[in-house]
Amino acid sequence: VNDVRMDLQRQLQIGAKHISEVHAKLLRYKAELLESGPELDCCILQVDEVLKIADRDKAFTCDNILVPMDILSQQLLEVEAEDRALEDLMYSLHDALRNKTIELQPFLRAIADAAHKQFKCRALASKICKTMQQQPQPGLHRPQAVRLSPERAMWDTTPPSSLAHRPAANTGFSMYPDL
């Protein structure tokens, strides 16, 4: 009976320690979120302004909202667009094969070509991102990739600096992976 009681006490102590560590982390995250409130409010106001402009101006499209701030951002935008286009091409080819509007041999050749090009795009995008991270930019924690087009005000699309250091979870959806 004493062994069971000691084992339960040890487990309770371990659980209490874990709960207190998680509580401390949550308090730190809460403080960071409260601190970043004004930055987020500013971003919300900027987005609201863009939406008002879009409602008034019928020529305002998603293609003219954002423009790259530097040559690396331009290259990244182009490479990402090509990657997405190749993904669409492979989807369409798969649909054509399923609907029997394309033969297997031409399908395989086209898929292999598209996959090879897509691999090159993704490798280049990775290199561009690494280069962007290595470039020092005065007053910034990380490079800004885009801004509003020249006739619009500057608009930083990156998250608040207090949250920027937090790594993404393995799934890519959680801001707090270590909880």
Side-chain angles (χ1 to χ4, degrees):
V1 175
N2 276 344
D3 289 341
V4 171
R5 188 174 288 158
M6 289 179 70
D7 188 43
L8 284 174
Q9 279 185 322
R10 190 169 27 88
Q11 287 178 357
L12 284 173
Q13 288 173 343
I14 291 170
K17 182 180 176 185
H18 178 70
I19 288 172
S20 113
E21 289 171 357
V22 169
H23 184 258
K25 285 180 185 178
L26 287 173
L27 289 175
R28 283 194 308 271
Y29 294 150
K30 180 181 177 183
E32 288 179 18
L33 288 171
L34 290 173
E35 182 181 302
S36 64
E39 288 180 66
L40 293 174
D41 290 341
C42 181
C43 289
I44 290 169
L45 289 174
Q46 289 174 339
V47 168
D48 287 343
E49 282 299 315
V50 170
L51 292 175
K52 287 177 188 174
I53 292 169
D55 285 341
R56 287 191 311 259
D57 185 2
K58 298 303 177 199
F60 190 82
T61 67
C62 63
D63 292 335
N64 64 8
I65 293 176
L66 301 175
V67 294
M69 291 183 68
D70 57 32
I71 191 70
L72 288 174
S73 298
Q74 176 67 36
Q75 285 178 329
L76 184 60
L77 186 63
E78 290 170 2
V79 167
E80 287 294 326
E82 185 176 353
D83 181 22
R84 299 298 192 272
L86 290 166
E87 192 71 33
D88 290 346
L89 171 66
M90 288 189 276
Y91 178 80
S92 296
L93 286 169
H94 187 264
D95 254 3
L97 182 67
R98 188 175 41 241
N99 295 333
K100 298 183 184 193
T101 56
I102 189 174
E103 295 295 319
L104 183 60
Q105 286 301 81
F107 167 79
L108 290 175
R109 238 180 279 122
I111 287 290
D113 289 344
H116 181 73
K117 288 177 185 175
Q118 191 176 45
F119 174 79
K120 286 181 176 181
C121 282
R122 290 181 179 179
L124 181 57
S126 177
K127 284 182 180 181
I128 292 169
C129 286
K130 285 178 185 173
T131 303
M132 288 175 77
Q133 289 171 349
Q134 292 170 354
Q135 280 186 340
Q137 292 200 2
L140 295 176
H141 298 286
R142 67 223 161 273
Q144 292 177 329
V146 293
R147 64 176 168 85
L148 282 175
S149 57
E151 63 272 6
R152 318 232 189 273
M154 294 293 287
W155 183 31
D156 181 3
T157 60
T158 55
S161 59
S162 61
L163 298 177
H165 68 280
R166 190 146 324 286
N170 293 337
T171 62
F173 297 109
S174 174
M175 188 181 298
Y176 306 113
D178 48 351
L179 286 181

